[in-house]
Structure formats: C-alpha cells, structure tokens
Amino acid sequence: MGTSIVVIVLLVLAFVLVMSVIKIVPQGREFTVERFGRYTRTLKPGISILTPFVETIGRKVNMMEQVLDVPQQEVITKDNVSVKVDAIVFIQVMDAAAAAYRVDNLMYAITQLAQTNLRTVVGSMELDEVLSQRDAINTRLLSTIDHATGPWGVKVARIEIKDLTPPPDITNAMARQMKAEREKRAVITEAEGEKQSQIARAEGQKQSAILQAEGRREAAFRDAEAREREAEAEAKATAFVSEAISKGDVNAINYFIAQKYVEAFGELARSPQQKTVIVPADFSGLTGTVAGVAELIKSLGADTPKAPPPPRSASTVAPTSPPPAKRGA
C-alpha cells in the first residue's frame, strides 16, 4: 500500500516537471525566458523545452498590432483658443525583450507620450491651422512618437486625431462666418450670371442690328435696281411711242392720252377730301383708246417693218369722249 502511494506521488511529480519544462507559445505571442531571474532568450510561437528548475517564463508579450485610446484633453492653441482634442495610436511590438525590460507599463508610457506630444503640436498652431491641417498634425505626431518608442522595441504604425472640439462661442462664430462666406459666394455668382446675361443680350442685339442693316442694304439695292429697270422700261416705251408717232401712227398718241386719262381718274378717286366722283357717261372712248394701244404693241412687236398708215383727218384725231356728267358720290 505504501509503495503504491510513493509511485503515484512520483508520477504526479514527473507530470508536473514535464509540464513545467515544455511550453507552447501561441501565434502572435512571444515569451521571454529567465534563468535565475536574468533574461536569456525569447521563445517564438510553437513548442519549446526549458531547463528544469533553472529556466522560467519571464514576460508574455503580445506581438500583434494594438490600438491605444488617447484620452481627451484641453489644449490652448497659439492664438489662445482652448480646444478639446483626443486621438488613437496604432502600435506593434517588434522586440519582445526590449518591450518587456526597457520600460515599465508599456501601454501607459505610450499613452502619456502621445498626450504630451499632442499638446505640444496643437499648442504650436493657430485654431484655423488645427482645424484644417489634421494630416500635418498626424504626420508630426507619428514622427515624434515613433522616434521616442524605438528604444522600447515598439513600432508606431499611425496616429489619428479623433476629435477636435472648439468652444461653443468659437463654433457659433465659425458658423456665422461660413454663412457669410456662402452668401458672398452666392452674390458673386449671381452677379457673374447677370453679367454674362447682359453680355449675351448685348451680343444678340448687336447681331440683330447687323442683320437688320444688311437687310435694309439689300432692300435698298433691290429697290434701286427695280427703279432702274422701271426707268429703262419707261424709256424704251417712250422711244417706241416716239418712233411710232414719227411714222404717223395715231395709236401712239392715243396711248399717251389714255395713260394720262387713267392716272388723272385714279388720283381723283383716291382723294380723301373728294365727295363727288366725276365719271364719263360713255366709256366707248376709253375702250377705243385701249384698242389702239393694243394695235400699237402688235405693230412694234412685228419682226418686219410695215408701211405707215395714211394720215387721218382732224375729225378722227379729236377726242371721242363726250363731256362728263356729274354724279353723287
């Protein structure tokens, strides 16, 4: 019975001994090994065997990228404006031994370092620069903090400003300024549009005036051409009639008489003050005159010249129209 107890105790001690010297390191972690309290080596992910009763596990270090939240704090800018600002920092341990033995409480140290540098960078800038140059602030903070945490075996991947909160009165003033700026832009845009509209209307009026002038010039040219052709036709007609008269054709004389007769009657009929229109009682004379004109045109349009007709008596030349009678208008 006593022998069985001793065997069981020895088996338990052996199991405990084996478990104490065999270590399994998970992925994303590294363990430091200490021999009698002094750092000797670092265990990588996987299974490792320690020297019994001599080596022990010192620190278990997280090698994955981690996010640190920088608490919000009030910072006075260069132009004496108090703003509330906070940030986040992304870090990764590159050297487990340095992170474990060169700084105590690594996360707290990085947080305090980020706070102090954030206060320094924001305090060296004016409010407008702080609000509009976040990328510049992030770059300066990243360079400063990464350089300071290098001896600790930590790599600062990036740092971002999470929130910037100016005082309420500054926020209201900025809102009014923004509103005034937008109204100014709206007025400028409206004025520019009105200017372009006036320019377009003036250009349209200019083109219209040019086209109207060209139209008037063309119309005047055509009117002059029409008058010229009318004058040429009148001159040819007069020449033909004169030639007919010189040959003794009475129809030419009847042509001129009929023309003057019709013109005078037309003027008499168009007069706005005329209340009584005098018309001839017999239109046979006018009909004979028109017939004579037709014969004159035929005679002038013939290809071969004809002998002039024998002269007529004076009674024939006399006007055939009887004296006109008066009629009520």
Side-chain angles (χ1 to χ4, degrees):
M1 185 66 181
T3 305
S4 299
I5 295 175
V6 172
V7 172
I8 293 174
V9 171
L10 291 176
L11 290 175
V12 172
L13 291 175
F15 179 78
V16 172
L17 179 62
V18 171
M19 293 302 298
S20 64
V21 298
I22 298 176
K23 298 296 181 181
I24 299 176
V25 180
Q27 185 66 37
R29 299 286 195 278
E30 288 186 2
F31 296 169
T32 61
V33 178
E34 298 177 355
R35 179 175 294 177
F36 300 114
R38 182 179 180 180
Y39 168 77
T40 57
R41 58 194 174 97
T42 301
L43 301 181
K44 303 297 181 180
I47 186 170
S48 301
I49 299 176
L50 302 179
T51 303
F53 307 110
V54 177
E55 293 179 337
T56 58
I57 298 298
R59 304 287 180 90
K60 298 179 180 181
V61 181
N62 186 353
M63 304 300 292
M64 295 182 291
E65 187 171 328
Q66 304 174 63
V67 181
L68 296 180
D69 189 8
V70 180
Q72 189 179 69
Q73 58 181 332
E74 290 190 0
V75 180
I76 299 178
T77 62
K78 187 177 180 180
D79 51 353
N80 297 324
V81 178
S82 178
V83 295
K84 294 181 179 180
V85 57
D86 56 1
I88 52 176
V89 183
F90 297 84
I91 64 170
Q92 184 176 10
V93 177
M94 309 301 294
D95 187 350
Y101 298 108
R102 290 191 178 182
V103 60
D104 185 21
N105 198 342
L106 178 64
M107 300 305 174
Y108 178 77
I110 295 176
T111 302
Q112 295 300 315
L113 183 63
Q115 278 187 313
T116 55
N117 283 275
L118 182 61
R119 189 182 301 113
T120 301
V121 172
V122 174
S124 63
M125 304 172 66
E126 295 184 356
L127 179 61
D128 292 341
E129 297 176 345
V130 172
L131 296 175
S132 61
Q133 299 182 10
R134 289 196 177 190
D135 291 339
I137 297 175
N138 296 336
T139 302
R140 290 178 60 181
L141 288 174
L142 178 62
S143 176
T144 303
I145 297 176
D146 185 56
H147 178 73
T149 57
W152 301 342
V154 176
K155 173 65 177 177
V156 179
R158 59 188 179 274
I159 181 169
E160 299 288 341
I161 299 295
K162 188 165 61 174
D163 191 17
L164 277 171
T165 307
D169 55 343
I170 300 297
T171 303
N172 295 334
M174 292 171 60
R176 291 195 300 270
Q177 180 182 3
M178 184 181 301
K179 181 179 179 181
E181 184 67 23
R182 289 181 178 178
E183 291 178 351
K184 174 184 175 182
R185 292 179 183 177
V187 171
I188 293 175
T189 303
E190 184 178 358
E192 187 67 22
E194 183 66 22
K195 174 183 175 183
Q196 295 297 331
S197 176
Q198 292 179 358
I199 292 175
R201 285 197 295 268
E203 188 67 23
Q205 293 176 359
K206 174 184 175 182
Q207 293 296 331
S208 176
I210 292 174
L211 293 177
Q212 290 178 2
E214 291 179 355
R216 289 194 299 269
R217 184 182 66 179
E218 184 69 19
F221 175 77
R222 294 185 180 275
D223 290 343
E225 185 177 3
R227 288 194 298 270
E228 181 181 357
R229 291 182 180 180
E230 183 180 358
E232 290 178 358
E234 184 68 22
K236 289 181 181 180
T238 304
F240 289 154
V241 173
S242 299
E243 183 180 357
I245 293 175
S246 64
K247 293 179 180 180
D249 192 348
V250 176
N251 290 328
I253 300 175
N254 291 335
Y255 168 74
F256 280 109
I257 294 174
Q259 182 181 14
K260 298 299 181 181
Y261 184 83
V262 171
E263 291 178 358
F265 186 75
E267 292 295 333
L268 181 63
R270 285 195 299 267
S271 176
Q273 304 296 331
Q274 186 67 33
K275 295 183 178 179
T276 302
V277 179
I278 302 175
V279 296
D282 188 5
F283 284 95
S284 61
L286 181 59
T287 305
T289 303
V290 174
V293 173
E295 292 180 3
L296 175 63
I297 294 174
K298 291 180 180 179
S299 63
L300 292 177
D303 295 333
T304 57
K306 297 181 179 180
R312 297 180 182 181
S313 61
S315 61
T316 306
V317 180
T320 59
S321 299
K326 291 186 178 181
R327 289 185 180 180

